[in-house]
Amino acid sequence: MSLLVVGLSHRSAPVSVLERASLTADAQVKLVQDTVAAEPAAEAALLATCNRIELYADVDKFHAGVAELSTLLAQHSGVGLEELTPYLYVHYEDRAVHHLFSVACGLDSMVVGEGQILGQIKDSLARAQDLHTAGRLLNDLFQQALRVGKRAHSETGIDRAGQSLVTFGLEQLAAGGDVQRWAGGKKALVIGAGSMSSLAAATLARAGVAEIVVANRTFERAERLAQILTGGDDTDVVARAVPMDAVPAELTRADVAVSCTGATGLVLTADAVVAAVRGRTGRPVEIAAAADVRAAESAPAGAGADDGCPLDLSAAQSGFSVLGEAAVAGMDAATLEQHGAWAAGGTAVDRPREGGADAELISALAATAASAGRVPEMRRPEPVAEAPRPEPVLFLLDLAMPRDIDAAAHRLAGVRLVDIESLADASADAPMAADVDQVRRIVADEVAAFGAAQRAATITPTVVALRAMAAGVVASEIARLEGRLPGLDDKHRAEITQTVKRVVDKLLHAPTVRVKQLAAEPGGAGYADALRTLFDLEPETVASVSRAANSTEKNRGPA
């Protein structure tokens, strides 16, 4: 059997694909169960976070395993296999181990070095154990990954390179400024009461917000989180819980809102955000995307709404509107008159255009050209001064996948929204600490050690079966001795038995120790076969030892 991982993450797929492929809690359970029910897989575990979905399995066939795991991911995510496949990555055996250890150390995180992934790996293992889908391999793998991650954080300065996704998000909200100065005295709304929302609430409390309101579908969980925040010794924050239907009203009062729920639809629509900002300011909320509209209108001549335009568009300067002054400069009077009629929605076209001002300008230019011959000057229009975007009055942090907050909120004046997509863009330029190289060396060493331990473990059932066979031989010979010497007293019988056992143990000690050492080396798997052949061990006896050990591992708790 061999370790296989098939998945996608922020490194392989755009956020839009990750968002569509995200799985509900029930879908995650069903995916793991269906994986072990499939023919190639004997064990399975799923690591699903806001920026990765990875399916781990112990498989007996590589190609069949890749095909089956890919198909299952597509089926349960609802994204078609053909669409999903280009974004999937596959790691096998040592590369799969290396990948998970790197993930555990925070090397593969959106924010390099963040430690929250350790809790997510622990949760993933616990779920697989509860479902009885984690056997010896995945138990060993995930527990060792947790130890490697803890070692990386304790022995290096990787923490200086990274931070939690929450902290990174708050830094983006603060526009690179000091988070505590930005957060001081603000009122915060936290939507959701899971691990990420709890971390966000605690981080906001330590940053100095004055009040935190927690909203959750299960009110008791929101209330419990609020009590924990209020009872904290290191903050003076005031916290209270509200039901989800109170979110619109609370959003009007909040300066910053963080949302991370398991909802499959939007928790905050653009209309809800508009209403909240209007409630705070008493003014209408503008769409801060007028520049995009102007850019569309200033597309190169020949693009967009230029059907039937009488100008020689190939000669017009790029970047100028076919309706504006710069596009017609240099044209003769007759062409200008035709162009003016076209711009005004006259006989040249069948549909009216919103070009009245341009049409008047063109008619005036035509009159000038009639006396001067043609408009003499080719000049680029002065750039339109952009109205400065108003300072945000509402800060939104969306850490959910799929997203909780409508992405249209990015365009609303007075709103600053940071979501997983914008965090991914920002983290691409984040510097990596020098300690990252040290963590990579730790990962490489731990991968080698894990591989050696796994190879050595493969021969253990054979060694156990060999010793069991030897014990059977000893018991059989002692029984025969008792038949030949019926008058043997208990003292001498025990001494003889012990002597024979010592002889057998000494004869087996050196070969079994040495074969374990050899099996731990690369290519050492053949020693188990050799041992079974030399001692004529029954394959079923060895397999039964493996099944017993694997059954025990499936019930082992996380580290």
Side-chain angles (χ1 to χ4, degrees):
M1 303 295 282
S2 301
L3 178 66
L4 173 68
V5 56
V6 178
L8 66 161
S9 73
H10 66 284
R11 295 187 183 277
S12 70
V15 172
S16 58
V17 174
L18 277 174
E19 186 175 32
R20 291 173 53 212
S22 62
L23 302 166
T24 64
D26 290 341
Q28 292 178 25
V29 170
K30 190 69 166 57
L31 173 56
V32 173
Q33 291 174 329
D34 287 355
T35 302
V36 293
E39 182 180 343
E43 305 178 32
L46 180 71
L47 179 58
T49 72
C50 59
N51 52 32
R52 75 178 63 250
I53 304 167
E54 295 177 346
L55 186 55
Y56 291 78
D58 187 6
V59 300
D60 58 1
K61 299 181 183 71
F62 171 72
H63 293 291
V66 172
E68 187 66 34
L69 267 60
S70 301
T71 300
L72 287 169
L73 277 172
Q75 288 176 349
H76 288 272
S77 68
V79 180
L81 182 59
E82 289 187 1
E83 182 181 359
L84 191 64
T85 297
Y87 303 112
L88 294 176
Y89 47 78
V90 175
H91 298 298
Y92 190 54
E93 294 186 329
D94 283 354
R95 289 301 308 167
V97 176
H98 188 281
H99 175 73
L100 182 59
F101 287 4
S102 298
V103 169
C105 293
L107 292 179
D108 197 59
S109 295
M110 187 179 292
V111 182
V112 175
E114 60 96 5
Q116 191 178 4
I117 186 65
L118 286 173
Q120 293 163 332
I121 291 174
K122 188 173 182 178
D123 291 343
S124 177
L125 175 58
R127 178 175 55 239
Q129 289 170 338
D130 290 341
L131 296 172
H132 303 290
T133 62
R136 181 189 60 80
L137 177 59
L138 292 187
N139 267 292
D140 288 350
L141 174 69
F142 275 68
Q143 292 189 22
Q144 187 62 24
L146 292 171
R147 287 189 283 268
V148 173
K150 292 173 184 176
R151 179 187 170 194
H153 284 281
S154 64
E155 295 183 13
T156 74
I158 190 70
D159 290 328
R160 293 195 298 270
Q163 54 205 317
S164 73
L165 203 60
V166 171
T167 304
F168 189 58
L170 293 179
E171 285 187 357
Q172 299 305 304
L173 284 182
D178 182 75
V179 171
Q180 290 191 328
R181 185 175 303 146
W182 166 80
K186 282 185 167 59
K187 296 177 181 178
L189 170 64
V190 175
I191 306 174
S195 58
M196 185 75 81
S197 298
S198 299
L199 177 60
T203 305
L204 285 166
R206 288 194 297 271
V209 296
E211 179 186 8
I212 297 178
V213 176
V214 183
N216 193 57
R217 284 185 171 81
T218 305
F219 181 74
E220 291 74 15
R221 293 190 65 182
E223 205 167 31
R224 187 160 57 249
L225 177 55
Q227 289 171 353
I228 293 172
L229 294 170
T230 303
D233 296 331
D234 54 345
T235 68
D236 297 322
V237 70
V238 175
R240 57 188 174 86
V242 297
M244 284 294 287
D245 57 13
V247 165
E250 294 296 340
L251 192 63
T252 303
R253 299 179 62 253
D255 300 299
V256 55
V258 180
S259 187
C260 185
T261 73
T264 55
L266 292 176
V267 175
L268 292 180
T269 64
D271 289 342
V273 176
V274 167
V277 175
R278 187 186 300 121
R280 291 178 62 86
T281 63
R283 299 189 304 271
V285 181
E286 297 180 358
I287 302 295
D292 295 338
V293 177
R294 282 192 294 274
E297 290 179 349
S298 300
D306 54 18
D307 297 339
C309 179
L311 299 183
D312 178 7
L313 298 179
S314 62
Q317 293 190 32
S318 63
F320 294 151
S321 166
V322 296
L323 298 179
E325 176 183 355
V328 300
M331 299 295 173
D332 58 64
T335 303
L336 282 170
E337 288 176 354
Q338 292 178 15
H339 186 56
W342 175 83
T347 58
V349 290
D350 295 330
R351 62 184 185 275
R353 297 174 179 270
E354 296 179 0
D358 288 304
E360 292 178 7
L361 172 62
I362 292 168
S363 298
L365 289 171
T368 303
S371 58
R374 63 178 60 231
V375 179
E377 186 180 357
M378 291 291 291
R379 53 193 180 88
R380 187 175 294 273
E382 292 296 325
V384 178
E386 290 286 343
R389 185 163 181 167
E391 286 297 314
V393 296
L394 180 59
F395 298 85
L396 303 174
L397 178 58
D398 185 358
L399 298 173
M401 183 64 67
R403 72 186 76 206
D404 278 350
I405 303 176
D406 193 338
H410 279 294
R411 302 169 56 204
L412 299 177
V415 175
R416 180 175 296 159
L417 168 61
V418 171
D419 53 20
I420 292 295
E421 192 161 15
S422 52
L423 284 175
D425 293 340
S427 66
D429 300 325
M432 296 174 65
D435 300 88
V436 167
D437 287 338
Q438 186 179 351
V439 173
R440 286 178 175 149
R441 287 192 293 270
I442 289 175
V443 168
D445 292 343
E446 292 284 357
V447 170
F450 183 83
Q454 290 298 304
R455 287 188 293 271
T458 60
I459 205 167
T460 298
T462 304
V463 171
V464 171
L466 174 60
R467 289 192 172 276
M469 184 195 74
V473 170
V474 169
S476 176
E477 291 303 316
I478 293 298
R480 289 180 60 188
L481 181 63
E482 289 177 346
R484 292 177 181 178
L485 301 172
L488 195 65
D489 60 61
D490 291 344
K491 179 179 178 181
H492 288 93
R493 185 187 300 109
E495 186 64 35
I496 293 170
T497 302
Q498 191 62 33
T499 298
V500 175
K501 286 183 177 179
R502 279 199 298 268
V503 171
V504 172
D505 286 343
K506 286 183 177 180
L507 286 173
L508 291 180
H509 176 72
T512 54
V513 169
R514 184 62 180 144
V515 79
K516 285 183 178 180
Q517 292 172 343
L518 292 171
E521 297 175 0
Y527 287 100
D529 293 333
L531 202 61
R532 287 193 294 271
T533 302
L534 286 171
F535 287 92
D536 196 23
L537 298 175
E538 290 290 338
E540 181 55 34
T541 303
V542 177
S544 65
V545 175
S546 298
R547 285 195 297 269
N550 201 41
S551 177
T552 301
E553 289 294 335
K554 284 196 177 187
N555 294 315
R556 195 165 74 184

